[in-house]
Amino acid sequence: GQQVMQIPQYQHVQEGEDFTTYCNSSTTLSNIQWYKQRPGGHPVFLIQLVKSGEVKKQKRLTFQFGEAKKNSSLHITATQTTDVGTYFCAGQTGANNLFFGTGTRLTVIP
Amino acid sequence: DGGITQSPKYLFRKEGQNVTLSCEQNLNHDAMYWYRQDPGQGLRLIYYSQIVNDFQKGDIAEGYSVSREKKESFPLTVTSAQKNPTAFYLCASSMAGQGYEQYFGPGTRLTVT
């Protein structure tokens, strides 16, 4: 079955340091979405990538979709305490449902 | 306000009892989903529905049941057959088809003792 692996599972950074989480799929994806879940909250959609090699930016967040459309990354520059939470990638193949990665829990130390 | 609501936020039940979790949306979305979240395991799909009066099993449907009698509502019943029901349950909705973002409700934390 489809699998989406995400690493690392946990990451602790000092405020101001950069952070990256990686997502790898066992199959070629039609698109990949990223969500953020604050502690005690629910996942909130951040962005969707569709094209091979696509790069999108949202302020300090940079999202990339691999050339083979099997991997993706989220990079946060100069983390802030508001970045705390769990970041999930979710891949989709064709008309199938989203398959969520296991998530990366980010802790930012002030 | 448009959105997706779940109730209650916390639910406690004794082992052997069925329990129904509520999910309502006023986003006019055709598709609705139920996920289970356990620590370190991400979100796992229980059931989904792309249209009223139709639903399909997800990856971990055993011990759960759903209904979709109205577009706005997609209740989930956790039956006594579910071996490990204590978890955080999330409902989501989206437009039907490929490439649409999912909107999540606030979740229900179910504890069964």
Side-chain angles (χ1 to χ4, degrees), chain A residues 3-74:
Chain A
Q3 285 192 340
V4 176
M5 304 301 294
Q6 200 171 342
I7 56 169
Q9 189 173 0
Y10 303 96
Q11 184 81 60
H12 293 74
V13 300
Q14 289 288 141
E15 189 173 15
E17 291 183 340
D18 292 356
F19 158 77
T20 305
T21 173
Y22 301 91
C23 192
N24 291 289
S25 169
S26 56
T27 57
T28 302
L29 301 170
S30 52
N31 61 75
I32 194 159
Q33 299 179 3
W34 285 90
Y35 292 78
K36 176 183 178 181
Q37 183 176 22
R38 292 183 187 276
H42 58 276
V44 174
F45 174 81
L46 293 176
I47 208 159
Q48 176 171 265
L49 304 169
V50 178
K51 299 176 185 174
S52 168
E54 189 170 15
V55 178
K56 286 189 176 180
K57 293 193 176 188
Q58 287 180 349
K59 297 183 181 177
R60 294 177 295 103
L61 278 61
T62 302
F63 304 84
Q64 294 190 332
F65 201 9
E67 293 290 340
K69 300 182 75 173
K70 296 178 88 170
N71 57 72
S72 181
S73 65
L74 158 59

Side-chain angles (χ1 to χ4, degrees), chain A residues 9-10 30-31 33 35 37 40-45 48 86 88 92-95 97-103 105, chain B residues 9 33 35 37 39-45 48 50 59 88 90 97-107 109:
Chain A
Q9 189 173 0
Y10 303 96
S30 52
N31 61 75
Q33 299 179 3
Y35 292 78
Q37 183 176 22
H42 58 276
V44 174
F45 174 81
Q48 176 171 265
T86 301
F88 292 98
Q92 191 172 28
T93 56
N97 289 311
L98 283 177
F99 198 93
F100 282 81
T102 48
R105 182 184 292 181
Chain B
K9 191 172 176 65
Y33 313 83
Y35 293 93
Q37 186 172 33
Q41 293 198 45
L43 281 68
R44 292 184 290 168
L45 183 64
Y48 64 99
Q50 298 282 353
D59 301 312
F88 187 47
L90 286 157
Q98 179 183 337
Y100 292 107
E101 67 187 89
Q102 293 189 8
Y103 293 78
F104 285 82
R109 193 166 296 278

